Amino acid sequence: SMLDKGTQLQQQQDNVNEDAVVVEGEPDSKRPPRAEATSSPSTVSHQFWRRVQIRHSTVGDVMVDLEVDPSILPVGLVDEIKKRLISELSEVEKTYDGAAEEEIQTNNTTQSSEVAEKPDSHRLVSAMKRPSPLVIKNCKLVSLQWHFHSGPTMCAHEAPRETIFGVPTLMENLCGMKFLLSPPSFFQVNTPTSERMLDRVADVAQLKANTTLLDLCCGTGIIGICLSKYVKKIVGIEMVVSAIDNAKVNAANNGVTEKTTYYAAKVEDALHQAMNALSAEEKTDIVAIFDPPRAGMHPSVLSAVRNIPQIRRIVYISCDQQALIRDCPSLMKEPTKKFRGTPYTIEGSFGIDLFPHTPHVEMVVVLNKVTNEQMSKYYETEAKYRVKGAAAEEEDAAPSPTAAEDAASE
């Protein structure tokens, strides 16, 4: 009902005269002068409310991120909507504070009548009090943000947000660690299964006390921080600036700042810089974890990883198996001009059902760098096959004896 308020205010444009805009609940004398809108009501083809993203934590805290288009409303009406949102949510916050002192215990019948009697502006408050099996107990809205966007294209990932209510981040717990998340930050939606996946990743990565962990496409630093107790050093690279800001705060909140270094850049642009910044001791044993978006890893990243001899193991976490199928051969094929380093071989793989009741599965593949001994055996085998192949080609190319030669030989 709170969001419907904005839609109702928007629809009032159809009924206003040329001099004033109707603001619900204000007398005529207090109605502000109408400003020119960027488009007339008759040409508006989309709504003020464009998109809503709702994230909730395992403890019941909720973050709401709104995308709105202010260009279709008169000047001043957006501010009115914002004030209405703040007013409604302030009432809800009072409800939380009151519930902390004295638990509200009423039956559904009584509360239903209360909702009917309350004015429309307080229905959200009443709804938050009403018990329901679909509502998480103690569910609390801790952040409401919005950002502006117009046009048919998707909004930029890093669009600036304005915090209307609460704080700009959401706190989540994973593997005994605490993580702050901003609206565009990536975080797996299935927290319990993510914990099981990270336990398996820690096992198959074969991390050591002197290991440097390259957390590529690290997001808010979740994987590296959760595995920090097993390694000496963590290097995280992520192109989303707000995610890196969150990662640094997350490292501090979990007491691992001294172990971590983060780069806000594309992996292909920052990987060489990150490697050059490591000490000789920190380069003695390196494990890389890939956790890319659906598009997979950039080919230049795969080439750069091949050219770092100290990376003995790669754990590739993939949410799109087609990208995984495309990327693995670049890591495994014999050296070429583009992929000069020692190749890797797949040691094992497993799936994680992060998305129950859907066809999607998170796939984890473990790749181990081929040893010098294995490479020598490979080249020996290749040489033997080439000799046999050349001999077979010569035999096939030799001229067959003529019928006369056959008769003479007989």
Side-chain angles (χ1 to χ4, degrees):
S1 63
M2 177 179 66
L3 297 183
D4 287 342
K5 280 293 184 180
T7 303
Q8 293 169 10
L9 290 173
Q10 178 183 326
Q11 292 172 346
Q12 290 170 3
Q13 295 177 88
D14 295 328
N15 302 319
V16 299
N17 58 34
E18 294 181 355
D19 299 321
V21 58
V22 175
V23 180
E24 184 179 283
E26 293 186 358
D28 293 346
S29 60
K30 293 185 179 181
R31 290 173 185 168
R34 181 180 183 181
E36 289 295 322
T38 57
S39 58
S40 65
S42 61
T43 61
V44 172
S45 60
H46 57 289
Q47 299 294 316
F48 173 74
W49 309 103
R50 287 176 58 98
R51 180 173 175 269
V52 58
Q53 174 186 247
I54 301 174
R55 307 179 75 160
H56 66 84
S57 69
T58 53
V59 297
D61 290 346
V62 175
M63 168 190 284
V64 177
D65 180 38
L66 301 172
E67 181 176 301
V68 298
D69 183 0
S71 67
I72 63 174
L73 298 183
V75 175
L77 196 53
V78 174
D79 290 337
E80 174 64 23
I81 294 172
K82 178 180 175 180
K83 291 178 183 178
R84 196 69 66 84
L85 288 170
I86 294 173
S87 175
E88 292 283 346
L89 292 173
S90 296
E91 290 296 323
V92 173
E93 189 172 41
K94 292 178 183 178
T95 300
Y96 294 141
D97 294 339
E101 298 175 2
E102 180 179 356
E103 185 177 358
I104 301 173
Q105 295 181 345
T106 54
N107 58 49
N108 290 340
T109 304
T110 303
Q111 292 200 342
S112 297
S113 62
E114 286 180 358
V115 172
E117 294 171 359
K118 285 183 177 293
D120 186 63
S121 61
H122 296 294
R123 285 185 181 177
L124 178 65
V125 180
S126 299
M128 295 298 290
K129 293 179 180 180
R130 184 163 58 252
S132 168
L134 301 179
V135 177
I136 301 174
K137 186 178 181 181
N138 298 326
C139 175
K140 181 176 182 180
L141 181 66
V142 297
S143 176
L144 175 66
Q145 305 176 47
W146 73 7
H147 58 280
F148 298 159
H149 184 59
S150 301
T153 59
M154 291 290 292
C155 180
H157 197 63
E158 281 289 279
R161 264 78 173 174
E162 178 185 1
T163 302
I164 298 175
F165 178 84
V167 294
T169 54
L170 179 72
M171 180 72 77
E172 179 60 291
N173 298 324
L174 182 69
C175 297
M177 303 287 194
K178 295 182 178 180
F179 297 94
L180 287 178
L181 309 174
S182 58
S185 299
F186 174 78
F187 195 89
Q188 293 287 7
V189 296
N190 189 333
T191 303
T193 308
S194 295
E195 291 181 336
R196 296 185 64 183
M197 180 181 73
L198 289 175
D199 288 340
R200 288 290 308 275
V201 168
D203 182 42
V204 300
Q206 296 183 0
L207 304 173
K208 304 176 184 178
N210 67 330
T211 297
T212 292
L213 181 64
L214 296 181
D215 189 1
L216 306 184
C217 304
C218 68
T220 55
I222 296 165
I223 294 177
I225 293 173
C226 286
L227 303 182
S228 60
K229 61 184 177 181
Y230 303 109
V231 301
K232 179 183 181 64
K233 175 77 176 178
I234 302 162
V235 177
I237 305 177
E238 168 63 52
M239 65 181 295
V240 180
V241 177
S242 62
I244 286 295
D245 293 338
N246 291 160
K248 292 177 180 178
V249 174
N250 290 332
N253 288 342
N254 291 287
V256 295
T257 299
E258 294 182 358
K259 282 188 173 185
T260 57
T261 302
Y262 292 106
Y263 296 87
K266 293 181 178 179
V267 176
E268 56 267 31
D269 295 337
L271 186 55
H272 287 294
Q273 177 187 355
M275 289 301 302
N276 292 334
L278 295 176
S279 66
E281 183 181 359
E282 291 169 340
K283 293 180 181 179
T284 55
D285 184 73
I286 299 178
V287 172
I289 292 184
F290 298 173
D291 188 19
R294 297 189 65 83
M297 300 299 285
H298 194 279
S300 61
V301 176
L302 302 175
S303 177
V305 169
R306 282 278 299 258
N307 287 324
I308 301 175
Q310 296 90 345
I311 300 180
R312 62 172 172 85
R313 207 169 184 83
I314 297 172
V315 180
Y316 194 135
I317 303 172
S318 173
C319 59
D320 185 349
Q321 280 69 62
Q322 293 303 314
L324 183 67
I325 292 169
R326 183 201 65 216
D327 290 346
C328 280
S330 297
L331 296 168
M332 300 172 63
K333 62 186 178 182
E334 61 181 287
T336 63
K337 289 183 178 179
K338 185 175 181 180
F339 298 93
R340 298 179 181 275
T342 304
Y344 291 81
T345 182
I346 291 180
E347 184 175 283
S349 64
F350 57 91
I352 297 290
D353 190 11
L354 278 176
F355 319 102
H357 310 295
T358 76
H360 302 287
V361 175
E362 198 85 352
M363 194 70 186
V364 180
V365 172
V366 184
L367 300 104
N368 209 37
K369 186 181 285 292
V370 176
T371 64
N372 292 334
E373 182 181 355
Q374 289 173 326
M375 285 299 297
S376 298
K377 290 182 178 180
Y378 168 78
Y379 285 125
E380 289 177 4
T381 304
E382 281 291 300
K384 291 178 181 179
Y385 279 122
R386 286 171 184 168
V387 170
K388 290 181 179 179
E393 288 178 2
E394 290 179 0
E395 184 177 345
D396 292 341
S400 59
T402 63
E405 291 174 339
D406 290 341
S409 62
E410 291 177 359

